[in-house]
Amino acid sequence: EAGVAQSPRYKIIEKRQSVAFWCNPISGHATLYWYQQILGQGPKLLIQFQNNGVVDDSQLPKDRFSAERLKGVDSTLKIQPAKLEDSAVYLCASSSSTQETQYFGPGTRLLVL
Amino acid sequence: AQSVTQLGSHVSVSEGALVLLRCNYSSSVPPYLFWYVQYPNQGLQLLLKYTSAATLVKGINGFEAEFKKSETSFHLTKPSAHMSDAAEYFCAVSERGYNKLIFGAGTRLAVHP
C-alpha cells in the first residue's frame, strides 16, 4: 500500500513570494490533515478535511494560508505572501476516518529567505 | 486546555541500556495518548496509542508505555536500546479521539555503542 505522498520535498523562496505544497493521501482515506512543524517544536495542526469539506481550520493563518481539497482526494496548501517565520516542515497526514490512526507523509521543508 | 510536556529535549543511552522517554499531559477529559517516532527526513510513524483500554500499551519495535492517570503521565520505555532506535520521539494528546492531536516538543534519542 502506497503511503502519503508529498511534493516538493524542499523549497527555498524569498519573503513575500508565494508557494504551494501538494499532498496525495493514502487511497481511500477520507480525512486529510496539514501540520506545520517549526524547528525544535512538535507538529501543529493547521487544517483538517473530511472528504472535501473543512472540519477544523481554527489554527490556519487565513490572511496568508489557504488550502483546498476539491475532489476529496489530493490537497494543496498555499502560502501567499510568505514570511520568514513560515520556514518549517509542512506535513500532510491522512486517515480512513476521523476515528482512525493518522499516517504521515515525509513532509515539505520550506525555507523563506 | 490540553497540553503535552516532554522532559528532556535530548536523551543519550548506550546500546543495550534501558530507554525512558518522559511525557506528561494536561487534559480536562479522559484523553487519547500517542507516541510517534520521526526518523531523519521522514514523516511521523505511530509507535503506540492509548485509547482508554489497557493502561499498559505495547507498540512496535519493542516499545511500550504506561498510562498513569494519577501522575498524568505516559512515559515511553524500551528494555534494551538498539542503534536503529536513534530518532526523534513525539508524545501527543487528544481530547477528541484521533482528531486534533496536540504534540509535545519532542525528545531526540541518541544511542551510542
Side-chain angles (χ1 to χ4, degrees):
Chain A
E1 177 182 80
V4 177
Q6 290 187 248
S7 68
R9 293 294 312 276
Y10 304 92
K11 190 75 176 179
I12 301 175
I13 62 173
E14 295 190 350
K15 60 183 180 183
R16 291 188 288 274
Q17 285 187 324
S18 301
V19 65
F21 313 126
W22 176 81
C23 171
N24 192 28
I26 293 172
S27 178
H29 279 195
T31 311
L32 186 146
Y33 310 80
W34 282 102
Y35 289 84
Q36 180 191 58
Q37 185 179 15
I38 293 172
L39 186 65
Q41 300 180 20
K44 182 185 80 172
L45 179 68
L46 292 175
I47 189 168
Q48 176 185 345
F49 291 95
Q50 178 66 17
N51 296 310
N52 61 350
V54 175
V55 173
D56 185 345
D57 63 357
S58 58
Q59 297 192 90
L60 186 73
K62 299 181 186 62
D63 57 334
R64 296 183 302 106
F65 285 65
S66 64
E68 59 183 15
R69 194 184 184 201
L70 293 176
K71 296 182 179 179
V73 181
D74 57 347
S75 175
T76 303
L77 176 70
K78 297 179 181 177
I79 307 175
Q80 181 180 11
K83 293 184 175 181
L84 297 177
E85 59 261 36
D86 298 332
S87 294
V89 176
Y90 290 85
L91 295 165
C92 179
S94 71
S95 60
S96 58
S97 75
T98 58
Q99 291 305 314
E100 293 295 333
T101 299
Q102 296 183 32
Y103 294 88
F104 285 79
T108 295
R109 188 175 298 273
L110 173 67
L111 179 60
V112 182
L113 301 176
Chain B
Q2 52 186 328
S3 66
V4 174
T5 302
Q6 291 185 240
L7 290 175
S9 59
H10 290 80
V11 170
S12 181
V13 300
S14 300
E15 193 174 18
L18 171 71
V19 175
L20 171 60
L21 304 182
R22 300 178 186 274
C23 172
N24 288 90
Y25 70 91
S26 171
S27 176
S28 57
V29 301
Y32 279 28
L33 293 158
F34 306 81
W35 274 101
Y36 280 85
V37 60
Q38 187 175 33
Y39 297 101
N41 298 316
Q42 295 186 27
L44 280 71
Q45 179 184 5
L46 181 68
L47 275 178
L48 50 78
K49 59 189 176 187
Y50 167 77
T51 60
S52 75
T55 57
L56 182 62
V57 180
K58 295 186 184 298
I60 62 171
N61 301 338
F63 284 94
E64 64 180 38
E66 185 172 9
F67 171 69
K68 292 187 176 181
K69 183 179 178 181
S70 60
E71 298 177 9
T72 60
S73 69
F74 190 58
H75 301 331
L76 182 71
T77 61
K78 182 174 180 178
S80 177
H82 295 162
M83 297 296 289
S84 59
D85 294 327
E88 189 147 23
Y89 292 79
F90 292 93
C91 181
V93 64
S94 174
E95 294 181 344
R96 289 163 44 186
Y98 291 85
N99 288 299
K100 198 69 176 277
L101 299 184
I102 304 297
F103 285 87
T107 297
R108 185 169 298 277
L109 175 66
V111 182
H112 52 85

